[in-house]
Amino acid sequence: MGEELSSRYFVVSRETLFQSPVALTPYKSEELIDEAALAAIVDSAFAGAGLHPDDIDAGVVILTGEALRRENAEAIAGLLAEQRGEFVCASAGHHMEAMLAAYGSGAARVSSDSGKLVLNVDIGGGTTKLALVERGKVIATAALHVGGRLLVVDGAGRIARLDPAGKRLAELAGFRWSRGDAVDRAAMERVAGRMAEFILASVAGPKSDDVRALFLTELLPDLSRVDGVMFSGGVAEYVYGREARDFGDLGLLLGTALRAKLDSGALPWPLLPPGECIRATALGASEYSVQLSGNTVYISDPGTLLPKRNLQVLQPAYSCGERIDPDALAQAIRSHFKAFDLVEGEGEAALALRWRERLSYERIAALARGIRRGLGRPSQGASLYT
């Protein structure tokens, strides 16, 4: 699309060429991801797709959930981004992951097509992400520390992995477990049942101190206007009956317990048909497109400024129309930093804004004031690119 002194490209179609099998994150220990095993999984996916890393023009490596807590997570993700293609590396905090899941699951599309207020509940391995979607746009997000792989048992029924949150959830169900303990099916079902109660209580009815303590963010706002609820994430495969395999964790038991409670009327809203479940977050990330324009670029010192890699791009919900309100722009920037779990003034980010009308000194000055107010006081070494 041509504009005065500029041009923009628009994505007109999308086609899925290949989807790899879903693989469980390989761990060396409670603190470390197995980098060799992870690299083998990625290389196998490239081979299955019939592609070489050099064939990829743009992509993303996203760190989410419990994997993000591991000590070597960001280093491994950065290495994958550099060696397996032209990828951007990003850490998806709770708010961003909830938003990606809502778009990837199809909840945003259902909300847009129907005009309804939809609650998306994405239950992964370590966390449950909540997103409120109105007319296709995510208006609020939250997360709590409940997930299907916080406890894993081996073939002999002994606990092979027990995350701190899994240990706490077991205690709330009446068990004091440690790694290596033998646990029976009935005990795991009891823990899964309590986890299901916590998830449902997080969105409906009064919230006990135990439920509030599980939240990793602030609570969602009033949900009285919700028209329907959709589930996504790995556990949702069991909620909707699309998966029957047991992977030695709490996923199957949690999904089964949730569905039983939903069928008995545990929530006041109808259960919407399934969209994308276990791949929701990844597909949500794929909805973002690369935009390129080079008509008006000027770099005063390219030797020190470029190339820049792994910058998180933020596009606040503000359109620079005929009159630019610096305070409104600043508020939009601050809200967007919060939505993407970024701390203002720390690290590097790229800020993208929609610009309309002609250039003028007054409008550019107002834009600069809005950006400055929105970013607060940058820390030493912080950088911003617009």
Side-chain angles (χ1 to χ4, degrees), residues 4-27:
E4 186 176 11
L5 300 178
S6 185
S7 65
R8 288 185 292 163
Y9 293 87
F10 285 83
V11 174
V12 295
S13 65
R14 300 174 187 270
E15 181 183 358
T16 300
L17 301 179
F18 176 77
Q19 287 189 345
S20 76
V22 175
L24 299 176
T25 305
Y27 293 104

Side-chain angles (χ1 to χ4, degrees), residues 55-315:
D55 299 324
I56 307 300
D57 293 318
V60 62
V61 178
I62 300 182
L63 300 168
T64 64
E66 286 300 293
L68 183 55
R69 291 197 310 107
R70 269 52 187 189
E71 294 176 0
N72 60 344
E74 295 200 35
I76 289 176
L79 192 62
L80 287 174
E82 292 178 9
Q83 296 185 354
R84 298 309 193 278
E86 298 297 327
F87 289 172
V88 170
C89 175
S91 298
H94 306 305
H95 292 292
M96 181 180 177
E97 190 176 356
M99 179 177 61
L100 294 178
Y103 285 115
S105 70
R109 181 178 296 276
V110 170
S111 173
S112 177
D113 292 344
S114 65
K116 294 181 177 180
L117 187 65
V118 175
L119 174 64
N120 191 72
V121 181
D122 184 271
I123 311 172
T127 56
T128 295
K129 282 73 62 180
L130 310 174
L132 201 56
V133 192
E134 186 170 30
R135 298 186 181 278
K137 294 187 177 297
V138 176
I139 61 173
T141 54
L144 61 153
H145 216 160
V146 179
R149 285 189 66 79
L150 293 173
L151 179 149
V152 179
V153 297
D154 59 22
R158 293 188 176 277
I159 298 176
R161 203 178 95 211
L162 182 63
D163 287 6
K167 188 179 184 71
R168 173 60 179 157
L169 288 165
E171 289 176 354
L172 291 174
F175 301 101
R176 289 190 171 274
W177 287 340
S178 299
R179 188 175 178 181
D181 290 350
V183 296
D184 58 33
R185 188 75 169 181
M188 293 180 63
E189 288 177 351
R190 182 172 162 182
V191 173
R194 286 290 283 157
M195 292 167 62
E197 292 172 3
F198 290 140
I199 291 173
L200 297 174
S202 71
V203 296
K207 294 169 181 58
S208 66
D209 291 341
D210 287 337
V211 172
R212 291 176 180 272
L214 289 171
F215 270 85
L216 298 164
T217 65
E218 67 280 2
L219 279 63
L220 284 180
D222 178 45
L223 300 178
S224 60
R225 297 189 300 111
V226 169
D227 297 303
V229 60
M230 179 181 289
F231 284 80
S232 63
V235 174
E237 300 284 355
Y238 300 108
V239 173
Y240 288 110
R242 305 201 305 192
E243 177 63 77
R245 291 175 294 174
D246 188 344
F247 294 95
D249 53 28
L250 294 168
L252 171 60
L253 300 177
L254 176 56
T256 302
L258 276 169
R259 186 54 191 255
K261 293 180 185 298
L262 291 170
D263 290 342
S264 64
L267 291 181
W269 319 296
L271 177 63
L272 300 175
E276 188 61 51
C277 290
I278 197 168
R279 303 176 191 270
T281 303
L283 290 179
S286 74
E287 292 296 314
Y288 289 83
S289 304
V290 174
Q291 297 280 329
L292 302 174
S293 174
N295 301 44
T296 58
V297 171
Y298 169 73
I299 302 295
S300 59
D301 189 1
T304 58
L305 292 177
L306 296 176
K308 288 291 181 182
R309 300 180 184 275
N310 299 335
L311 291 181
Q312 191 129 355
V313 180
L314 305 178
Q315 186 173 19

Side-chain angles (χ1 to χ4, degrees), residues 21 33 51 66 107 183 187 191 203 210 228 255 285 311 318 323 328 333 337 374 379:
I33 296 172
L51 295 171
E66 286 300 293
V183 296
V191 173
V203 296
D210 287 337
L311 291 181
Y318 185 88
R323 178 182 177 277
I333 291 173
F337 266 84
S379 61

